[in-house]
Amino acid sequence: MPALAWLRRFPRRLPKLFTIFYSTSFTLIFIVLAVLLVITPADLINQALHGNAGRQTKNIFVIAGCYTLTLILVVVIYVNRLYTTRQLMEDIPKRFVPIKKGDVSGRVRRRIAEGLSKGAVLAWQSKPKARGPGGGPEPLQPHPIWGEINHPGWSPPDSHDLPNVNYAAIMAELPYIIEEKAAYIVSRQASPSPELASRKPCMSLARYISYLTTLGYVDPRVGEMFVKEYEKCRFWLAEVEGVGEGQFRQLMKVFAGLLKVM
């Protein structure tokens, strides 16, 4: 039974046994090769020192110089190979798509060029085009034929002054701007009190504007107009149909007037 159990575990031990055998055999062969390489120059140096022709110092320097140059050449080739292998491994995966003329063979390059050409034709054909009376494409127009792109809650992407603006994010910052302006007005007084212009966490914007009105910082008519436009855009339009560009610009116009009269 123990022998049978060992045979069952033997296939799982094969990789480990192969690794031990490979490492041991490689080490032994390396040692034998090193000994064989050392025997030849050692024998030559021995003959130059104790040969029948007497001591030949010149031959010793020649042998030592040749083997030293050979060793240096071997080290240079080995280091160059390690560096090249490391560079090749770092390029996997490549930092660019190898599709240029010198990166692939001619046949592969032609197939890639054909695919890119087909993709360019499909991209051109997929664009909306106006057709003339004869079925051909009309001349280029100054504006896109699909009209103006305008989504509620966002400014148009081709707007000249406010492209791709999220109206909700801007409106959420308006109370903080008003509070900063009120704090600036308080700081310019003879006896400044920062708590005077601070907005409590439980205070709505309408109550805060009313509070600033009682302090004389906001004109009542302008403050009431701003609160009306703000609550209309912030709550009703945002929940029902979304804030349009016209409503947002009107709110910003009233907001600029509010800051101007503060």
Side-chain angles (χ1 to χ4, degrees), residues 72-202:
I72 293 174
L73 182 61
V74 169
V75 171
V76 170
I77 295 174
Y78 180 71
V79 171
N80 182 49
R81 183 176 179 182
L82 288 179
Y83 176 78
T84 305
T85 304
R86 183 176 181 181
Q87 290 297 114
L88 293 176
M89 294 300 294
E90 288 181 354
D91 288 339
I92 301 175
K94 292 184 177 295
R95 301 180 181 87
F96 61 94
V97 181
I99 60 174
K100 294 184 179 180
K101 193 172 183 179
D103 298 332
V104 293
S105 61
R107 181 182 300 178
V108 176
R109 173 60 188 168
R110 285 193 296 270
R111 295 294 298 273
I112 293 174
E114 291 176 2
L116 293 176
S117 300
K118 291 180 181 179
V121 172
L122 292 175
W124 168 255
Q125 293 178 351
S126 63
K127 290 182 179 180
K129 300 179 181 63
R131 296 294 177 181
E138 290 185 352
L140 294 177
Q141 301 179 0
H143 301 287
I145 61 173
W146 49 83
E148 181 182 0
I149 299 176
N150 198 341
H151 190 278
W154 289 82
S155 64
D158 55 350
S159 177
H160 65 282
D161 55 350
L162 299 173
N164 298 320
V165 174
N166 186 1
Y167 298 150
I170 300 298
M171 290 186 296
E173 296 294 330
L174 299 185
Y176 302 104
I177 299 176
I178 296 175
E179 186 176 1
E180 289 182 2
K181 183 63 181 292
Y184 173 74
I185 296 174
V186 171
S187 65
R188 298 183 60 184
Q189 295 178 354
S191 56
S193 178
E195 295 80 7
L196 189 64
S198 62
R199 177 189 173 195
K200 296 180 175 59
C202 59

Side-chain angles (χ1 to χ4, degrees), residues 31-105:
I31 293 174
V32 171
L33 179 62
V35 171
L36 293 176
L37 291 175
V38 171
I39 286 177
T40 302
D43 182 61
L44 293 175
I45 293 175
N46 183 53
Q47 292 181 14
L49 292 174
H50 309 287
N52 297 328
R55 186 183 181 90
Q56 299 178 358
T57 308
K58 185 185 297 184
N59 293 347
I60 296 176
F61 283 105
V62 171
I63 296 170
C66 292
Y67 275 88
T68 301
L69 292 177
T70 304
L71 181 61
I72 293 174
L73 182 61
V74 169
V75 171
V76 170
I77 295 174
Y78 180 71
V79 171
N80 182 49
R81 183 176 179 182
L82 288 179
Y83 176 78
T84 305
T85 304
R86 183 176 181 181
Q87 290 297 114
L88 293 176
M89 294 300 294
E90 288 181 354
D91 288 339
I92 301 175
K94 292 184 177 295
R95 301 180 181 87
F96 61 94
V97 181
I99 60 174
K100 294 184 179 180
K101 193 172 183 179
D103 298 332
V104 293
S105 61

Side-chain angles (χ1 to χ4, degrees), residues 4 9 39 45 70 80 99 134 153 180 204 212 223 229 253 261:
L4 183 60
R9 293 194 300 268
I39 286 177
I45 293 175
T70 304
N80 182 49
I99 60 174
E180 289 182 2
S204 64
L212 294 179
E229 292 292 336
K253 182 179 179 181
V261 300

